[in-house]
Every structure is written in structure tokens, then in C-alpha cells.
Amino acid sequence: MSGPRSLRRDLALGLGAGVVALWLLAMAGAWAVLRDEVNEVYDAVLGQAADRILRLPGESMTAPAPEVTPRRGEDMSYILRRPDGAILMRSAGADATVFGETPRTGFRESADYRVFGRRAPGDNVLEVADPLAERREATREAMVSLLVPALALAPLIFFGVAWFVAARLRPVGLLAKQVARRDSADLRPISAPGLQLELIPIQDAVNRLMRRLADAMEVERTFSANAAHELRTPIAAALARTQRLIAQAPEGAPRQGARAIEAELKRMARLSEKLLDLARAEAAGVAAGSGQDLRPILSMVAEDFGAAAGLRVTLPPVPVVASIDPDAFAILARNLIENAILHGTPPIEVALEPDSTLRVTNGGRPLTADKLALLTRRFERLGSRRGGSGLGLAIVEALVRNAGANLEFRSPAPGRDGGLAVIVALRNAEPEVP
């Protein structure tokens, strides 16, 4: 199946071909007009030639005379005859068959010649003949002189049409690029400068759609945040009662059942916290920079996981100031480390570089490109049976996007046979002035 057709190419070829076709029609009309004009000029020359011949002395018009040889380059011939056809005078090379047996006045064509007859003194008839081939040659040379420059300009016509079409369609390309750059985090109205009147409804329709999407996503975020917030209190109360039940229940099945309930309630509590983090991360401007050193924040987050996590934290000797809110960076780092511990294997390396790049690397089996593309999808666990909400990397992606940073996944991790490396390239910022 062939791909979609190019509107720019179709317009350029169509307009170019139309211009050339109209130009050819104009040339055909010009050829017809030129042919008529050339015939009129040559007919006038025939009449003038007849007038000059008739001004010869009178005796030349009535007495037989020898043939007159025309000058070099002259193809015109003439003959002077009595009404009975007797020849009184003629030019050299004059063919009697061209003039016919009976002399006639006026214009006519005979044997590929144009013949003009005029009454002479003594009721004689002077006839002058000119070959039609000379007229055709003159018309052809005139048309060639017009066609050759025009044909040379034909490629410029197509180039000019293509340039004009591209220039007129440039706002459409700008509109398409603006739409392509937008995602769920940027649903602001688009505006393509220079958009033609016929294309403005498309821009308005896209803006209406984006406004509806923004409203729908805001409703979704608000619902998730409110639901998670409202669930925190009953979950905490149920967890407290369950822990009290565990303490009071005898050993055996009742206590084991209570511990299973406790584990599920803790999982629900973690999920509600992740939903709140996701709602905050997706809010516009939540990750705006503050100009603080990120090293102590990363150290504090890493200490929360304890020595059992087997983390290797590497910090630079100089302050690292990036354009991200400290709380947002703490949430980002915590989710990256949790994901590495939960779904990877030791050693787990956490490195903060002087250029504001955060790297979190874990071991494990390498991931394919298809699986790497799914990592930031909500509730995506890639078939893992380990715990987790499936929201950690989605929160990281939202924070990175709002901070204007870059998120990259590499598997296998650089320098390893497997594992996953998550690289967050933050934007540098000026440190705060006390």
C-alpha cells in the first residue's frame, strides 16, 4: 500500500503543470496571431512591389521585354500579361504555372505561392508571387525566438511554484510541529503565526480538544489526590486496629491472618502515598528550581534505606546546584532507589555528578527496547511478582518533565552485562545567595 501523498508536492506539480499548460495554449494562440500578422506584412510587401513595378516607364508596360533577373536573395517573381494571357514582361525564374493561364486581380494561393494581381495600364494585369515557405520560415523563426527563452525558464517556473507553495504551507508545518511537541503535561493552546484563514478552524479545533483533555486530566488528578488523601485516615485506623489485633491474638492461624491483613493495609497505604506523589508531580511548576545543593538531600534519602540495601552512593566534592525543587528531587531520588532495590539486584550504585546528572544503576537481566519504553507507564511492573505500586518511574518521569530535565534508560547498564541504568540530566542553576 502506498504512503500518504504530499500536499506540497501535489500543489507544486499541479500549479506548475497548469501554468505550463496555459503557457502552451498562449503560445498556440500567439502562433496563430503571428502567422496572420506575418501574412499581412508579406501581403503588404506584395502590394508595394506591384506598385513599384507599375511605376516603370509606360513603354515597358506595353512592349515585350526580356526577362529581369531578381537580386540575390529575392524569391519574389512577377509577370505582366494582356487580358488574353500574352506575356509582356516577367522576372527571371517566373513560373507560368504558378500564375495560371488567365491573369486575375486580388490575392490568391497557387502551387505553394501567394499571388497578388493588380490592374495595369492598357487593361493589362500585373501579378506578383511570393513563396509561402518564406512566410512559414519567418513565422517559425519568430516562434522559436519566443519559445527558446520560455522553455529555458520552465524549470524556474516549477521552482518558483514549489517555493511559493512551501512558503504558503510553512504555517501548517509550524502548527504540526507545535501539536507534535505537546504531551499530557503541556496542553496549553497552540498558536501558529501566519496561519491562513482556511486553516484557523483546525487550530481552534485542536485547542478545543486540548482544553477538554486538560479538563479531563485535571479531574483525574484531583480525583486521585482526593481519593488517596481520604483513604489515608481509614487505612491508618484499620492498620492500627489490625496491629492491636495482632498483639492480642493467640499464636497460630488468627495471628497469621491478622499479619496478612496488616501487610495488605501497608501496601494500600504505600499506594495512596504514591498516588499523592504522582498527583503532586504532575502539577505544573511543582519541580521549579530553588538553587540548593543536592548532595545533602541525596545523602539523607540514601540513609533512609539503611545499610541493608547495599547502596553505593558517590557524591562529588563540590556543590551540585540544579534547577529542581529540593522536595521534588528527594521524591525523585527515593523512587529511583526504591525501584532499583525492588526490581534489581546488587550492587546498586547511586552517583551524583558535578554537571547535575543523577545515575542510579542496579544489576539484573537486561531489558529489551520494548520493555524500556514501558517503564514510565502507570502501574507497569513488566511481569514482576515483587511488591511495588508500578508508579515509581511514572512519578520520576513527571518530575523530570516539569523540571525541564532529561530522563534516559540504558540496559544493559554501562560497564555491566545486564541491569538497568537510569540517568537524569538536570539543568544547572545558580546557587542561592545568603
Side-chain angles (χ1 to χ4, degrees), residues 289-338:
S290 62
Q292 294 187 15
D293 187 7
L294 300 182
R295 294 178 302 169
I297 300 174
L298 183 59
S299 297
M300 182 176 59
V301 171
E303 290 175 358
D304 290 343
F305 290 93
L311 297 179
R312 299 178 183 175
V313 181
T314 303
L315 300 175
V318 296
V320 179
V321 181
S323 180
I324 187 171
D325 180 76
D327 292 337
F329 179 75
I331 296 173
L332 183 150
R334 183 180 301 277
N335 280 279
L336 287 179
I337 296 174
E338 283 181 353

Side-chain angles (χ1 to χ4, degrees), residues 52-317:
R52 287 197 300 269
I53 294 173
L54 290 177
R55 294 194 186 99
L56 294 175
E59 59 273 12
S60 298
M61 296 293 100
T62 57
E67 297 180 354
V68 178
T69 302
R71 294 190 300 269
R72 182 180 300 273
E74 291 184 352
D75 295 324
M76 188 180 299
S77 60
Y78 64 88
I79 187 172
L80 180 64
R81 294 187 291 182
R82 295 193 180 98
D84 59 2
I87 298 175
L88 298 177
M89 183 177 62
R90 68 176 181 178
S91 63
D95 189 354
T97 59
V98 173
F99 298 96
E101 297 179 357
T102 305
R104 291 184 293 174
T105 59
F107 287 99
R108 68 182 187 278
E109 294 183 3
S110 175
D112 205 32
Y113 277 80
R114 181 74 166 172
V115 182
F116 174 67
R118 175 164 290 181
R119 188 69 59 183
D123 207 23
N124 298 323
V125 177
L126 175 66
E127 294 174 294
V128 185
D130 186 48
L132 295 175
E134 185 176 348
R135 303 182 178 211
R136 288 193 291 267
E137 182 180 359
T139 304
R140 183 169 57 252
E141 291 178 353
M143 288 301 301
V144 169
S145 65
L146 293 175
L147 286 173
V148 171
L151 289 176
L153 292 176
L156 294 179
I157 294 176
F158 280 96
F159 176 79
V161 169
W163 175 85
F164 179 78
V165 170
R168 293 297 89 195
L169 291 180
R170 189 172 293 115
V172 181
L174 295 177
L175 178 63
K177 289 181 180 179
Q178 287 197 32
V179 174
R181 286 196 297 261
R182 299 302 177 88
D183 54 20
S184 59
D186 187 4
L187 296 177
R188 292 171 297 132
I190 60 176
S191 177
L195 201 63
Q196 289 84 352
L197 180 64
E198 293 79 6
L199 298 177
I200 290 179
I202 298 178
Q203 174 181 280
D204 295 340
V206 173
N207 286 335
R208 287 194 297 271
L209 175 61
M210 295 179 71
R211 186 163 55 250
R212 289 196 294 269
L213 289 175
D215 294 341
M217 295 187 67
E218 182 61 28
V219 169
E220 178 187 351
R221 284 194 292 265
T222 303
F223 173 78
S224 299
N226 291 338
H229 180 74
E230 293 297 329
L231 286 174
R232 294 174 69 181
T233 300
I235 290 175
L239 182 60
R241 290 179 178 272
T242 303
Q243 291 172 343
R244 182 178 179 181
L245 179 62
I246 292 173
Q248 297 176 351
E251 293 290 342
R255 179 169 292 187
Q256 292 179 357
R259 291 189 183 278
I261 296 174
E262 179 190 26
E264 290 299 321
L265 288 173
K266 287 182 177 180
R267 190 180 70 84
M268 291 180 62
R270 287 194 300 269
L271 179 59
S272 64
E273 291 296 332
K274 292 293 184 181
L275 288 173
L276 284 174
D277 287 343
L278 180 61
R280 288 194 294 265
E282 290 182 337
V286 71
S290 62
Q292 294 187 15
D293 187 7
L294 300 182
R295 294 178 302 169
I297 300 174
L298 183 59
S299 297
M300 182 176 59
V301 171
E303 290 175 358
D304 290 343
F305 290 93
L311 297 179
R312 299 178 183 175
V313 181
T314 303
L315 300 175

